Amino acid sequence: MEKTIQTDSGIVIAPLYTQPVAMEEQPGSFPFTRGIHASMYRDKLWTMRQYAGFSTAEESNKRYHYLLSQGVMGLSVAFDLPTQIGYDSDHPMAEGEVGKVGVAIDSLEDMEILFKGISLEQISTSMTINATGFILLAFYIALAKKQGADLKKISGTIQNDILKEYAARGTFIYPPQPSMRLITDIFAWCSREVPKWNTISISGYHIREAGANAVQELAFTLANGKAYLKAAQEKGLDINVFAKRLSFFFNAHNHLFEEVAKFRAARRMWAHITRELGATDPKAQMLRFHTQTGGSTLTAQQPQNNIVRVAVQTLAATLGGTQSLHTNGYDEALSLPTEEAARIALRTQQIVGYESGVADTVDPLAGSYYVEALTNEVEGKAWELIHKIDAMGGAVSAIEQGFIQDEIARSAYKYQQEIENNEKIIIGVNKFTAADHVAPEVFRIDDSIRVIQSARLQSLRERRDNAAVQNALQRIRQAAGTSENLMPLVVEAVEHLCTLGEISDVLREVWGEYK
């Protein structure tokens, strides 16, 4: 009996694809299956970003200057857990976490140090931040103003995707409805004040990291995107304006061909979703996305093997037409990446971009019987899940009912069972293991960072105009109970040196915390 081979999403792979699948339109035109630009990388390579942030703003600033010297084209900021969930570094809840998984940013002064010597008008910055995304964006805008930058030229992205936090990751603060209000406030304000800023990066990355397969990652991410479109339309925003500033953030795993198919299907599906909701401008129908190689695919055993995994995932992202890419360090299953690991990760992108020929033609795998059929199958299975979510009332309702969380949990459990039963081979883990394993040097952050940040906060509170601070916080408190856009008030507050924790706490008072 012939062996059945499946992708992680359960799609059966035929031994031979003999029937040609009709070619889609040309790249750069609806529904963008083959890419959002007619010439793709022949004109310009994807933006090579490296995700970095740790310890204090000073230490992260040194890493950014190093990465820029090595050829990165854009920065991508990792924030520590207290910053992500709205606590200043001296808050009791921050103990043991300050500076550990990202950089600690408590105030505008920290943001100034983080970007010292870096012109915000000249660099594109991505910030992986959600519940407090509006505050970090305010810090960034306030700093740009201090630098004398033209806000119309500032470019970058805040992740700002709270729905996937409820479903897969957990760094939420407020209930869903006020959280969605913050997001639409950002859409509206940025479309006027910082029109080149990507106001949301709708994230499948963390959905995949939580255990979803490729089809689920695609379906749940686009369902969330659909919810954001509808929320903005309900606020009276024009889809042909705000949809141009939406971007996506996907994961790249090891199954090269399924990942390429996923990216191609994502563009096609999003084009139809936006058009059905009224988008007529082609730029509002385009799915633009950042990719990060799969953190959950990295192994602590034989960590150098991860260099090869990241190379395969880099190929998947670039063959799939990503607009920007972060490649993980080989040692990230053990610690934050060392400088050497970060350099190898960046060089992986550069070798693929400049030496492999991937960039020489548009959509290199188009017309492959296998890839075209797989693209159609991934799309079909993803639509099935989206239709289920629509029947529940949309992504917010599906999350509140626990549907998305349950689907991810089932997929994660199945995958782990396959590894333990040796049905799924992970090199160095359940096959081709090595007894003489030597752990590489790892990068550690000590707990003294909290002492440094706490002293900095105390000094700031003594030096600033505390009457102006209280007035700014009171204005946010009052506006939170109305439909007034909060963004200009938050920018004003951070300019008066209100801290991230103080602004977060004011809104906790008004809206409560989601449990």
Side-chain angles (χ1 to χ4, degrees), residues 186-226:
I186 291 169
F187 288 174
W189 185 79
C190 286
S191 67
R192 297 189 304 269
E193 303 297 330
V194 269
K196 291 182 69 176
W197 193 268
N198 296 323
T199 49
I200 192 168
S201 177
I202 304 158
S203 177
Y205 183 85
H206 303 99
I207 290 170
R208 191 68 175 278
E209 291 293 285
N213 60 40
V215 165
Q216 291 171 327
E217 176 193 357
L218 175 57
F220 298 154
T221 305
L222 296 189
N224 287 347
K226 196 172 176 182

Side-chain angles (χ1 to χ4, degrees), residues 150 180 200 296 308 316 335 360 391 413 418 431 444 458 460:
D150 180 353
M180 291 292 279
I200 192 168
S296 62
V308 181
S335 69
D360 293 348
Y413 181 67
E418 289 172 348
K431 196 172 183 68
R444 300 288 187 206
Q458 183 178 346
L460 176 140

Side-chain angles (χ1 to χ4, degrees), residues 336-348:
L336 291 169
T338 59
E339 203 167 88
E340 179 200 40
R343 184 176 64 251
I344 291 170
L346 175 60
R347 293 289 181 259
T348 302

